[in-house]
Amino acid sequence: MMLASAAKTRATILLCSDSEGKPLTGYTIRQAWIANETGYDTVDVQIEGDRIANIATQIDPVGMLIDGRDKLLLPGFVNAHTHSSELWQRGMIPPYPLELWLAELYDFVPADPEQVYLSAIGTAVETLLSGGTTVVDHLTIMPGQEIETIGAAVKGYREVGIRAFVAPLIQDQSLPSSLPTGGKAQVYEPYARTAQETLEMMREAIAQFHRPNEGIYIVMAPTGPQLCSDELFLGCNELSDRHGLCRHTHLLESKAQKLLAEEKYGCTAVEHLKRIEFLGPRTSLAHCVWLNDHDIQLLATTQSTVVHNPLSNLRLGSGIAPILKYRQAGVNVTFGCDGSASNDSQDLLEAIKIGSILHNVTDFDYRSWITPRQAVTMASLGGATGLGMQDQIGSLEVGKLADLVLYDLTSLSLLPRTDPIGLLVLGRPVQAVHSAWVGGRRVIAEGSITTVDVNHLRQELFARSQWDLNR
Ligand SMILES: [Zn+2]
């Protein structure tokens, strides 16, 4: 099924041509607000091909003209941890802690790759409409249809046009082994797929789908130390080194995982991941709630990135990650929505808001509290850094890829005219994204997704689900 191209760009856009009357490709955004060190400047920004070609007070226009007046231009954010297929379960699982929640979650596996394709599209659309231009999808894969699952998500992301880091969720140990035993000897069923079979599947996925120049990246992403052997982690290291892939995993989301790591390794999970050399500048770690001060130092020295998922941590009662300590130790931190079964939305601005103000209750020294401008930098450049992309995306700089979002400051939720970034982060922006570009391709125009038919997506999600009124 194809989601046909829908909304066409409208009135405010003029197409320019060169002296021979040939249309020019690209965009010139005129007179938009951008942030400087402490305030704002008004500038023209020129996009040529997939890059930012110029930023200046005034530019001779090239390509389509976009009226940037009363609009704020920011680098796109990164939704740095999610599980797209959980979209089918949002609003469904009762308020349970992680381990009980997982048991409910595993009751449902997407029935066919078409569902995976649709939930990837839904995740991408909601991420884009809340300021994200990149998504990291720790993708649940259907047993026996692993490559088809990955292919379905990749197809969805390509159609929407979001930059997508597709991180198949791999493990080689069974769910019961992820719980601490309190010292009792246990024997577990072997997992359905061995480490070597899993790595072979990943080799195939890399060969078929890893296309950095087209905005699709495969990531080596073991589920977490609680469900993976060292053999699997080491195989992931090897493939990541060989193909230049990012690494991603869940890390110490719950207290049970902290206890399990100590039983399993005789040290903390972070010490173990350091020892087996999984940590590094292209490694991002979801959650990081239960780390001690020495662990935090290890994340700093290895230049690993913490992905803060505040809404899922709150919903599952996992705890409050010590984000201010990470920042004080020099650890790079960015934000994720986490899957829609543990947050129930993919609103990245909501995750950024809660993720930055949550810590005001854990540390009363307000001088270390996260400011709206710091939150924006964490969500953009911080996200890019965790993916080894800080030279390519994450800030407004000539030569970088044009992954940009233009916010309409006349939107009711961003009025009255106070501080644009303050209100964007601390307010509750509704329909505030006017335009977005990913690699120079305009994927939102006048508030509407340009690449896929969102009404059709709504119809599909409606038709393929049922109200569940008697749980
Ligand atoms: Zn997760």
Side-chain angles (χ1 to χ4, degrees):
M1 183 203 64
M2 296 290 289
L3 291 177
S5 172
K8 289 276 184 290
T9 55
R10 288 191 289 268
T12 56
I13 299 161
L14 293 167
L15 195 61
C16 293
S17 54
D18 68 7
S19 55
E20 286 148 15
K22 201 170 64 180
L24 294 172
T25 58
Y27 300 86
T28 303
I29 304 165
R30 303 200 89 170
Q31 299 300 293
W33 292 110
I34 62 166
N36 60 26
E37 281 297 300
T38 52
Y40 298 89
D41 293 319
T42 308
V43 295
D44 289 356
V45 175
Q46 186 186 315
I47 301 170
E48 268 182 45
D50 61 355
R51 308 258 159 193
I52 301 169
N54 199 357
I55 302 173
T57 316
Q58 204 159 9
I59 296 173
D60 287 338
V62 175
M64 285 187 184
L65 294 186
I66 310 288
D67 184 357
R69 285 174 300 172
D70 302 322
K71 298 185 186 74
L72 172 70
L73 186 69
L74 290 179
F77 302 141
V78 177
N79 184 356
H81 179 73
T82 188
H83 309 278
S84 61
S85 64
E86 286 183 17
L87 189 108
W88 293 101
Q89 288 155 289
R90 61 182 182 180
M92 202 161 149
I93 303 182
Y96 284 165
L98 177 73
E99 283 73 20
L100 292 177
W101 173 90
L102 276 172
E104 291 268 331
L105 184 77
Y106 277 58
D107 273 353
F108 170 90
V109 180
D112 61 65
E114 191 74 11
Q115 274 188 305
V116 175
Y117 162 74
L118 290 168
S119 49
I121 290 178
T123 299
V125 164
E126 292 201 333
T127 298
L128 283 167
L129 290 173
S130 57
T133 50
T134 296
V135 63
V136 179
D137 185 359
H138 211 176
L139 178 72
T140 308
I141 43 180
M142 291 157 53
Q145 296 188 75
E146 292 84 356
I147 294 294
E148 291 83 350
T149 313
I150 300 166
V154 166
K155 178 168 174 262
Y157 290 135
R158 279 183 178 277
E159 286 181 14
V160 178
I162 199 167
R163 192 174 299 285
F165 285 74
V166 178
L169 196 67
I170 52 175
Q171 66 187 74
D172 65 341
Q173 293 173 344
S174 59
L175 192 60
S177 69
S178 68
L179 298 172
T181 64
K184 289 197 208 99
Q186 299 280 349
V187 180
Y188 300 110
E189 295 274 306
Y191 188 64
R193 210 175 35 224
T194 66
Q196 289 311 316
E197 287 162 351
T198 300
L199 293 166
E200 191 50 46
M201 184 274 291
M202 286 304 303
R203 283 185 202 101
E204 181 62 31
I206 295 163
Q208 283 200 31
F209 304 116
H210 184 60
R211 300 286 183 275
N213 292 336
E214 298 165 21
I216 302 289
Y217 312 73
I218 295 293
V219 177
M220 296 308 300
T223 301
Q226 69 281 5
L227 285 166
C228 300
S229 69
D230 283 357
E231 184 185 6
L232 186 59
F233 269 105
L234 293 170
C236 288
N237 289 354
E238 196 263 317
L239 284 174
S240 129
D241 288 344
R242 186 185 319 162
H243 299 281
L245 311 180
C246 297
R247 304 176 189 183
H248 185 69
T249 194
H250 291 108
L251 182 63
L252 296 175
E253 178 174 359
S254 68
K255 192 169 185 185
Q257 290 176 6
K258 172 181 183 286
L259 298 173
L260 176 83
E262 284 155 10
E263 287 179 5
K264 190 169 175 177
Y265 305 128
C267 62
T268 72
V270 178
E271 287 168 336
H272 188 72
L273 291 183
K274 167 81 167 63
R275 191 183 297 158
I276 62 171
E277 299 183 345
F278 186 76
L279 304 179
R282 297 226 288 190
T283 300
S284 59
L285 305 158
H287 301 298
C288 298
V289 177
W290 292 91
L291 278 69
N292 65 32
D293 289 350
H294 180 242
D295 293 335
I296 294 172
Q297 280 309 317
L298 292 177
L299 295 191
T301 54
T302 56
Q303 298 174 49
S304 305
T305 288
V306 169
V307 182
H308 184 27
N309 301 278
L311 286 148
S312 120
N313 294 160
L314 287 168
R315 190 195 191 296
L316 303 177
S318 302
I320 299 178
I323 296 301
L324 300 184
K325 278 191 174 184
Y326 293 135
R327 287 172 52 77
Q328 281 152 13
V331 177
N332 182 47
V333 180
T334 190
F335 302 100
C337 290
D338 206 354
S340 285
S342 70
N343 168 349
D344 310 70
S345 136
Q346 293 295 305
D347 188 321
L348 194 46
L349 281 163
E350 184 183 45
I352 293 167
K353 172 179 177 174
I354 304 295
S356 51
I357 64 177
L358 177 60
H359 311 285
N360 303 2
V361 298
T362 61
D363 186 337
F364 295 114
D365 183 354
Y366 69 89
R367 289 166 299 185
S368 62
W369 290 359
I370 298 168
T371 68
R373 279 172 179 254
Q374 288 169 338
V376 160
T377 304
M378 290 162 71
S380 49
L381 194 58
T385 301
L387 299 167
M389 293 281 287
Q390 64 274 26
D391 297 333
Q392 295 291 313
I393 57 172
S395 57
L396 299 181
E397 287 176 62
V398 173
K400 279 195 164 181
L401 289 164
D403 286 16
L404 306 173
V405 179
L406 191 63
Y407 296 90
D408 180 2
L409 300 177
T410 68
S411 153
L412 181 61
S413 59
L414 296 181
L415 285 170
R417 291 191 278 170
T418 56
D419 173 28
I421 290 179
L423 194 44
L424 186 73
V425 172
L426 297 174
R428 168 73 165 87
V430 177
Q431 294 172 341
V433 174
H434 175 278
S435 295
W437 291 261
V438 179
R441 178 184 183 196
R442 197 177 187 199
V443 292
I444 298 178
E446 311 274 335
S448 295
I449 300 280
T450 63
T451 47
V452 296
D453 183 343
V454 175
N455 274 329
H456 187 82
L457 172 67
R458 287 174 48 213
Q459 288 160 13
E460 288 287 329
L461 294 178
F462 188 91
R464 289 163 178 266
S465 56
Q466 280 297 330
W467 304 119
D468 189 355
L469 304 177
N470 296 303
R471 279 180 72 79

